[in-house]
Amino acid sequence: MPKIKLAENTVQLIKDICKEFENKESELINVLHQVQSKLGYLPAEVQEVIAKELKTSVAKVYGVVTFYSFFTMIPQGENPISICMGTACYVRGSEQVLNEFKRQLKVEVGESTEDGKFSINCLRCVGACGLAPVVTVGEKVYGRVAPTDVKKIIAEYRNH
């Protein structure tokens, strides 16, 4: 990926968030969570600033970002859609739900729609196995989702 130059106000925002957590390396996950909630994603350049502020290695920051499926280095759509592919969800049809989201939105996993409204990703487990198959849109969780529900879920966010 091409290197991006962070705007000075973005760098300052990252520094302020790190400072909120007293620039402690032990607060890395909290810092990453806050920064991602403000910027939408965690590109390498952002991770470099966080590493410097928390006095830790970029490799450690990158390791945490890539280990946890919640964090992303790719820009997300305004309404990030995640389809659970854990065992319970998979055996109850999450693959068909995923295929319907891809068909309706005309994008593949890891991509965003042209208008930037939606992006699709898969995750391993949201911890709501009793509601399988599960889909999240942002922070909202949808349970027992069938392919026929996809159009209605998309419509909820289409005109916001």
Side-chain angles (χ1 to χ4, degrees), residues 104-157:
Q104 294 266 338
L105 295 173
K106 298 174 179 56
V107 293
E108 292 299 316
V109 172
E111 295 179 347
S112 296
T113 55
E114 282 187 28
D115 62 5
K117 281 258 189 204
F118 300 97
S119 57
I120 299 177
N121 280 298
C122 295
L123 44 83
R124 285 291 149 232
C125 186
V126 275
C129 303
L131 299 175
V134 174
V135 170
T136 61
V137 181
E139 301 284 316
K140 188 170 180 182
V141 178
Y142 294 86
R144 298 185 181 91
V145 179
T148 54
D149 299 324
V150 169
K151 190 173 188 173
K152 190 175 83 180
I153 292 170
I154 293 169
E156 279 184 52
Y157 299 89

Side-chain angles (χ1 to χ4, degrees), residues 3-159:
K3 198 155 172 69
I4 58 170
K5 172 96 172 83
L6 296 176
E8 196 50 49
N9 61 336
T10 302
V11 172
Q12 191 56 53
L13 172 72
I14 297 165
K15 288 180 176 183
D16 291 346
I17 290 170
C18 290
K19 197 171 181 180
E20 281 176 37
F21 292 97
E22 301 171 7
N23 292 68
K24 290 184 177 175
E25 182 185 351
S26 61
E27 295 288 350
L28 176 58
I29 290 177
N30 289 323
V31 168
L32 291 169
H33 184 76
Q34 284 294 320
V35 172
Q36 183 168 286
S37 75
K38 299 287 187 207
L39 303 180
Y41 70 120
L42 300 166
E45 297 77 10
V46 168
Q47 293 176 48
E48 289 168 12
V49 175
I50 292 170
K52 184 177 177 193
E53 293 302 304
L54 300 186
K55 296 173 182 58
T56 190
S57 70
V58 176
K60 179 169 184 172
V61 176
Y62 177 80
V64 171
V65 169
T66 56
F67 180 80
Y68 292 101
S69 64
F70 173 79
F71 298 123
T72 182
M73 294 173 56
I74 300 166
Q76 300 291 292
E78 192 180 312
N79 302 290
I81 299 168
S82 295
I83 295 92
C84 181
M85 290 298 189
T87 304
C89 289
Y90 191 84
V91 299
R92 292 192 181 136
S94 63
E95 187 174 29
Q96 291 86 348
V97 172
L98 170 62
N99 288 337
E100 187 60 17
F101 271 107
K102 289 173 14 182
R103 192 181 73 73
Q104 294 266 338
L105 295 173
K106 298 174 179 56
V107 293
E108 292 299 316
V109 172
E111 295 179 347
S112 296
T113 55
E114 282 187 28
D115 62 5
K117 281 258 189 204
F118 300 97
S119 57
I120 299 177
N121 280 298
C122 295
L123 44 83
R124 285 291 149 232
C125 186
V126 275
C129 303
L131 299 175
V134 174
V135 170
T136 61
V137 181
E139 301 284 316
K140 188 170 180 182
V141 178
Y142 294 86
R144 298 185 181 91
V145 179
T148 54
D149 299 324
V150 169
K151 190 173 188 173
K152 190 175 83 180
I153 292 170
I154 293 169
E156 279 184 52
Y157 299 89
R158 181 69 75 192
N159 300 313

